[in-house]
Amino acid sequence: MSNDSTPILAASTVHHTVSDYLACVQVVMVNTTLPANIGSAARAMHTMGLSRLTVVDPKLPIDETSVSHAAGGSELLSSALIAPTLESAIADCQLVFAASSRSRHLPRPVVIPTQAAKIMFDFIDKQSVSSKDDSNADTLSAATTNKPNIAILFGREDRGLTNEELAYADYHIQIDANPAYPVLNVASAVQVIASFIFAYAQSHTQTADSLDTALGTTTQPMLDVHLRQQWDEPAITQQQLQQLTHRTTELMVLRGLADSENLKSLPSRLSRLGSRLQLDQKEYQLLSALIAKLAKD
């Protein structure tokens, strides 16, 4: 597996439209208190071209206040998915981001919205190239029926996301704000992050040479991240990563390497390791077979 730590500028051989890219991104709102905020988030998404909204276990259902606050984005409420748990909402996602205003226990890599957009679109390009079929299609929808699935998690109005929920994310997004009060309303956070994604989508469909000029990011410090350069198989989903984490934990307990009554942060560390490795489907199958064999012997 080849890694690269150079600044991220995607060089795709599959040509996507802005809509193609944005269709790979879903906003996931967790345990929202006010239906009006769901509507405001839908409006923010609609203005920035995002159309996939998932609401996890809302305290109150989507109602007329949601619709009134959504304005022109009311269609997103009609098509919104209601999920009972965060785990089920992101089960088929291959890349997960979480909006967070502060560092937490066992932190994941922290990025600003511009950097998050770069990572998202680089991932989409490489996943699309790996799954492109023999038809030589030039759009994402034609290149693969299993398009990349990226989630951005947004937490509760009063306390955001829990440590357990943040642990599902591969990256945490922090919005530059007044350090004395860096707290945004959830719909405002959706608007800010979505605006960077939309701006990058527009620039990303142009030539790579004009990318920094268009975004004004030539002086923006780049994140030193490692991304796979070759994807000959699709990336694993979040559900598969959690399954691998669970099986590895069980194996360590079985082999006397961990105490089932005192796992502490072991599952979170294994999950973070899995995110860093960026496993593909074949590698997942190999590791699953190895764990199964070791568990039997």
Side-chain angles (χ1 to χ4, degrees):
M1 181 171 68
S2 173
N3 288 316
D4 183 20
S5 59
T6 57
I8 306 165
L9 287 176
S12 173
T13 58
V14 181
H15 301 292
H16 309 324
T17 66
V18 170
S19 296
D20 285 334
Y21 282 112
L22 298 180
C24 295
V25 181
Q26 66 169 311
V27 167
V28 180
M29 301 182 71
V30 179
N31 205 206
T32 310
T33 300
L34 299 176
N37 281 333
I38 300 175
S40 296
R43 179 176 183 172
M45 291 172 61
H46 186 58
T47 61
M48 296 302 162
L50 296 176
S51 59
R52 299 172 57 204
L53 173 62
T54 298
V55 183
V56 177
D57 188 28
K59 293 185 177 179
L60 293 172
I62 294 174
D63 59 16
E64 63 275 5
T65 64
S66 306
V67 175
S68 63
H69 281 75
S74 58
E75 287 187 6
L76 274 70
L77 299 178
S78 301
S79 61
L81 300 178
I82 309 300
T85 65
L86 177 57
E87 186 176 28
S88 64
I90 61 174
D92 61 347
C93 293
Q94 300 146 318
L95 185 62
V96 179
F97 292 79
S100 178
S101 61
R102 61 186 185 275
S103 298
R104 303 292 186 100
H105 177 60
L106 289 181
R108 301 299 173 98
V110 176
V111 297
I112 60 176
T114 303
Q115 295 166 335
K118 289 178 182 288
I119 294 169
M120 290 179 195
F121 288 89
D122 184 77
F123 181 82
I124 292 170
D125 284 335
K126 290 173 181 174
Q127 284 290 299
S128 301
V129 170
S130 71
S131 57
K132 185 178 179 183
D133 60 25
D134 295 334
S135 64
N136 198 30
D138 61 359
T139 65
L140 183 58
S141 57
T144 176
T145 57
N146 298 315
K147 64 186 177 185
N149 195 5
I150 299 172
I152 310 174
L153 314 183
F154 294 88
R156 303 155 188 79
E157 292 93 332
D158 57 344
R159 55 191 176 91
L161 295 163
T162 66
N163 287 340
E164 291 74 17
E165 291 161 349
L166 285 168
Y168 281 110
D170 300 295
Y171 297 92
H172 293 171
I173 304 176
Q174 290 188 353
I175 299 170
D176 288 333
N178 176 12
Y181 189 71
V183 182
L184 278 74
N185 171 275
V186 62
S188 298
V190 172
Q191 181 79 72
V192 171
I193 293 175
S195 69
F196 278 95
I197 294 172
F198 182 73
Y200 193 82
Q202 289 185 307
S203 297
H204 196 72
T205 55
Q206 302 170 4
T207 63
D209 291 341
S210 65
L211 200 62
D212 282 343
T213 301
L215 282 178
T217 59
T218 52
T219 59
Q220 186 66 259
M222 297 300 298
L223 178 71
D224 184 21
V225 297
H226 295 267
L227 293 175
R228 285 187 65 150
Q229 294 302 296
Q230 300 294 329
W231 287 91
D232 53 352
E233 292 287 335
I236 64 171
T237 64
Q238 181 64 212
Q239 183 180 47
Q240 289 172 315
L241 175 58
Q242 296 308 316
Q243 288 173 346
L244 194 62
T245 298
H246 180 68
R247 292 168 187 162
T248 304
T249 302
E250 287 187 329
L251 177 62
M252 293 183 70
V253 171
L254 179 65
R255 292 299 183 181
L257 299 173
D259 181 358
S260 61
E261 301 299 323
N262 191 27
L263 293 176
K264 296 183 179 178
S265 59
L266 176 62
S268 294
R269 290 189 180 278
L270 289 173
S271 178
R272 184 171 63 177
L273 174 62
S275 293
R276 190 181 301 134
L277 291 175
Q278 302 170 61
L279 298 170
D280 64 29
Q281 293 292 334
K282 289 294 186 183
E283 292 162 345
Y284 170 77
Q285 292 170 12
L286 289 171
L287 287 176
S288 296
L290 177 61
I291 291 171
K293 177 65 174 176
L294 291 175
K296 289 180 179 180
D297 292 344

